[in-house]
Amino acid sequence: MSPMLKTTITFFAAFLLLACQPEQIKQQDTGSHSTGSQGKQVQLVPNPAMVKPGSGQLTLPSTVSVSASPDAPDSLAALGELLAQLGVSQSPNDNAIIRLVIDPNLSLGEEGYQLAIEENVTIKAATDTGLFYGVQSLRQLLPAVPQASYTLPQVFISDQPQYAWRGSMLDVARNFFSLDYLKQHVDRMAAFKLNKLHLHLTDDQGWRLEIKSWPKLATVGGSTQAGGGPGGYYTQEQMRELVDYAARRQVEIIPEIDLPGHTQAAIASYNELACDYVVNSPAQNQCTDVTGAARLALYEGTCVGFSALCTSEKPDLTYQFVRDVLTEVAAIFPTKYLHIGGDEVLNEEKASFAGFITEVDRIVASLDRELLAWEEASVGDIRASSLLQLWNDQYNIQPALDKGIHLVLSPCSYTYLDHGNYDGQPNTYTWCAKQGIPLARVYSLTPEDYPQAVGVEGPMWSELVRDSATADNRMWPRLTAIAEVTWTPKQQRNYTAFTKRLSALQGHLDRLQIQYYPEPDVNWR
Ligand code: TNX
């Protein structure tokens, strides 16, 4: 056979092979999707469900006209922000170059979208949320900072998330974070299509939410933090502002009031919430820094498991307190789920714990909400519509699973972002993973292994995190792995390809002013 003929046959064989494969398989390259001869690449995090590269490019005109369905305010605002950031001015023109189209017949779920870049840019979705995510993808396809002109690869993307719960948890109780930081965090989450911000609002070291019926919770209980320092709290008005800010970016704020343990800040504010026996009890859980009168005082240490409300001896006061607090919480946060904690309860209150959880679920039900709690709460007689947050890799939650309860996955050895980015990172915990939790480990979590999972959340506990730069370092880029693990279908996930796509987005991390950990697996510039 002549070499020429051989090449031709090989070429046609390869062509046939490709052409005959189902769409799914052709899209299996989980890395960057090269388009056209110029090689402009489609490098997105999280990786979309389906990318069909085109062959050409679209150069945006110097002024861009935009059209949007009337019921798409959030995506239109996001698009406006994008164009403003890039210094592209908008002109009213019948011939829109970027279109946001609500199409109720599109079957890509509540959050899915299609992004088509041909002679113009068309984003289609059944909801404003879907369009918003289409705009986020468009944002990643464009440069992070202004350029003289903008060229986009022609491409067709059809995308929707695997999981509805794509979460970040911030412990604002051990260390207080400013409202501005929370808003900035919401912006960053939205850029990677994360959609649940769980705020751990109360703990032993601080109570961070104004409660009008129990005002000292914030003014006294909010005045400390782990390791000393000024503490702080959010007014109800500030939290409403955050809820609204986040909602416009498709992020839901999930408030947690940790009960009945982790309540030292509440007890220090209102001593009557503690059992009378505590002052004379032995230290709990090796917390030798909390004995005697310290059992009723503010706390700035890092021990856990030494405090609890007094369900055993003062049930009426305890439930009155819980009802008052959760009623105000429900009025501030429109979320379906109220997180009531439930972790690491005091030994002496263990006997009353299951009954407590059952009663709190009744209170939550009376507020027309669903219960969300750490997995220990599975011992309570809670509604099957509740969610449990799994954190301890070994905990037996089978009884809850048998009941049909669904899970938010935060297994500590994959998702605890207070653990090191690498072995031996200073100011990190190691109790769950001795060598830390590198990016690759986070990425290896397979939520598909848990049929009852609604998604994944990465908790960032802040006993050892004292400022926002450190918080950034702990959360980023590891939260981008959580974004991809929850958004992208399993067959489109590949760690090496992910790190390549992530490195292409470095400019975007910088634009968002993220002080990320420079993970060595990623080829940073
Ligand atoms: C366990 S896991 C806790 C937190 C700590 C964290 C430190 C869980 C529900 N509770 O109170 O901050 O470990 O890693």
Side-chain angles (χ1 to χ4, degrees):
M1 208 189 304
S2 80
M4 173 82 165
L5 187 61
K6 198 171 164 191
T7 320
T8 315
I9 291 178
T10 318
F11 177 80
F12 272 104
F15 177 78
L16 270 179
L17 198 73
L18 260 179
C20 296
Q21 277 180 358
E23 202 54 54
Q24 261 327 60
I25 304 191
K26 261 196 278 177
Q27 301 305 330
Q28 264 209 4
D29 55 331
T30 47
S32 39
H33 307 266
S34 208
T35 68
S37 47
Q38 297 92 336
K40 261 241 156 208
Q41 297 207 315
V42 174
Q43 310 204 81
L44 303 178
V45 173
N47 203 22
M50 200 277 276
V51 176
K52 224 189 249 171
S55 54
Q57 299 193 334
L58 168 66
T59 300
L60 292 182
S62 53
T63 61
V64 161
S65 58
V66 166
S67 75
S69 301
D71 38 358
D74 296 346
S75 50
L76 185 59
L79 180 60
E81 200 177 302
L82 185 174
L83 294 173
Q85 273 171 9
L86 293 178
V88 176
S89 45
Q90 288 187 52
S91 66
N93 179 333
D94 288 348
N95 223 345
I97 190 99
I98 304 181
R99 301 184 192 135
L100 302 177
V101 183
I102 296 265
D103 177 357
N105 297 322
L106 207 68
S107 52
L108 289 170
E110 287 288 296
E111 300 180 291
Y113 68 93
Q114 286 177 349
L115 167 60
I117 304 179
E118 293 163 303
E119 274 67 55
N120 46 44
V121 178
T122 305
I123 304 178
K124 269 192 199 168
T127 64
D128 193 17
T129 301
L131 290 179
F132 182 89
Y133 288 134
V135 172
Q136 298 313 312
S137 291
L138 179 63
R139 183 72 196 90
Q140 291 190 359
L141 290 174
L142 284 161
V145 292
Q147 316 274 318
S149 71
Y150 299 98
T151 304
L152 285 160
Q154 292 192 334
V155 67
F156 179 77
I157 295 173
S158 178
D159 198 12
Q160 71 185 112
Q162 294 298 294
Y163 290 97
W165 200 286
R166 305 181 300 277
S168 159
M169 190 209 87
L170 202 48
D171 175 3
V172 295
R174 271 57 172 272
N175 182 78
F176 181 69
F177 291 92
S178 71
L179 190 68
D180 282 345
Y181 184 74
L182 299 186
K183 288 183 180 171
Q184 195 176 33
H185 189 59
V186 165
D187 290 339
R188 296 159 171 187
M189 289 176 65
F192 293 97
K193 305 187 176 82
L194 292 163
N195 69 344
K196 307 283 178 193
L197 174 56
H198 166 184
L199 292 180
H200 184 75
L201 286 166
T202 67
D203 213 302
D204 295 317
Q205 297 86 345
W207 184 287
R208 305 297 175 210
L209 179 65
E210 174 190 24
I211 299 293
K212 296 192 171 159
S213 53
W214 296 73
K216 286 194 286 177
L217 290 171
T219 56
V220 176
S223 66
T224 46
Q225 62 189 57
Y233 67 88
Y234 311 107
T235 64
Q236 297 196 355
E237 205 180 325
Q238 285 176 321
M239 277 293 107
R240 287 202 170 90
E241 186 184 322
L242 179 69
V243 165
D244 179 56
Y245 183 91
R248 284 185 275 125
R249 288 154 184 83
Q250 322 311 311
V251 173
E252 188 174 42
I253 306 291
I254 310 291
E256 178 188 354
I257 304 295
D258 203 349
L259 303 167
H262 291 270
T263 39
Q264 190 64 23
I267 287 165
S269 310
Y270 294 96
N271 285 174
E272 61 270 34
L273 290 172
C275 281
D276 295 329
Y277 62 72
V278 295
V279 174
N280 299 315
S281 310
Q284 299 282 313
N285 293 322
Q286 287 111 42
C287 298
T288 48
D289 57 340
V290 208
T291 54
R295 295 288 297 270
L296 299 176
L298 291 166
Y299 182 66
E300 297 180 331
T302 59
C303 204
V304 295
F306 59 85
S307 62
L309 300 176
C310 187
T311 316
S312 60
E313 291 178 353
K314 304 177 184 174
D316 292 350
L317 177 68
T318 302
Y319 293 128
Q320 186 58 49
F321 172 77
V322 172
R323 202 172 301 116
D324 289 347
V325 169
L326 292 184
T327 302
E328 291 194 34
V329 169
I332 304 165
F333 300 93
T335 168
K336 178 175 171 191
Y337 294 98
L338 298 182
H339 202 311
I340 60 93
D343 59 320
E344 296 172 321
V345 78
L346 187 68
N347 292 333
E348 287 145 329
E349 292 296 315
K350 281 201 169 126
S352 61
F353 179 66
F356 174 85
I357 296 294
T358 306
E359 184 56 30
V360 173
D361 187 37
R362 290 206 186 109
I363 294 172
V364 170
S366 76
L367 295 168
D368 216 10
R369 304 301 172 93
E370 300 291 346
L371 184 98
L372 166 56
W374 297 104
E375 62 195 336
E376 288 96 319
S378 65
V379 297
D381 183 16
I382 55 179
R383 289 169 290 165
S385 51
S386 307
L387 282 181
L388 288 174
Q389 187 162 6
L390 175 145
W391 65 273
N392 177 339
D393 298 14
Q394 281 109 46
Y395 198 83
N396 177 21
I397 46 164
Q398 198 52 48
L401 292 180
D402 293 344
K403 226 162 122 176
I405 285 177
H406 284 73
L407 301 174
V408 175
L409 304 177
S410 301
C412 58
S413 75
Y414 291 89
T415 67
Y416 266 32
L417 306 181
D418 60 342
H419 282 53
N421 284 289
Y422 59 91
D423 190 2
Q425 182 171 25
N427 295 318
T428 60
Y429 275 133
T430 54
W431 63 264
C432 183
K434 288 198 175 34
Q435 266 89 55
I437 305 179
L439 185 65
R441 169 73 182 176
V442 181
Y443 196 86
S444 72
L445 176 64
T446 312
E448 289 82 359
D449 292 345
Y450 302 81
Q452 275 157 253
V454 296
V456 181
E457 194 175 285
M460 213 286 300
W461 303 101
S462 62
E463 287 101 317
L464 308 178
V465 175
R466 304 278 153 81
D467 52 57
S468 50
T470 311
D472 277 14
N473 173 285
R474 301 297 184 271
M475 291 193 284
W476 304 98
R478 290 186 289 185
L479 280 178
T480 66
I482 289 183
E484 182 146 317
V485 156
T486 49
W487 181 283
T488 306
K490 195 175 168 197
Q491 67 273 17
Q492 313 298 114
R493 302 202 299 262
N494 170 289
Y495 181 64
T496 310
F498 162 73
T499 57
K500 289 209 182 101
R501 283 181 280 107
L502 187 57
S503 72
L505 296 177
Q506 184 177 4
H508 289 278
L509 294 172
D510 292 338
R511 163 178 72 80
L512 292 159
Q513 297 176 5
I514 301 178
Q515 301 183 60
Y516 51 88
Y517 165 67
E519 162 61 49
D521 284 356
V522 180
N523 188 15
W524 308 107
R525 276 190 310 276

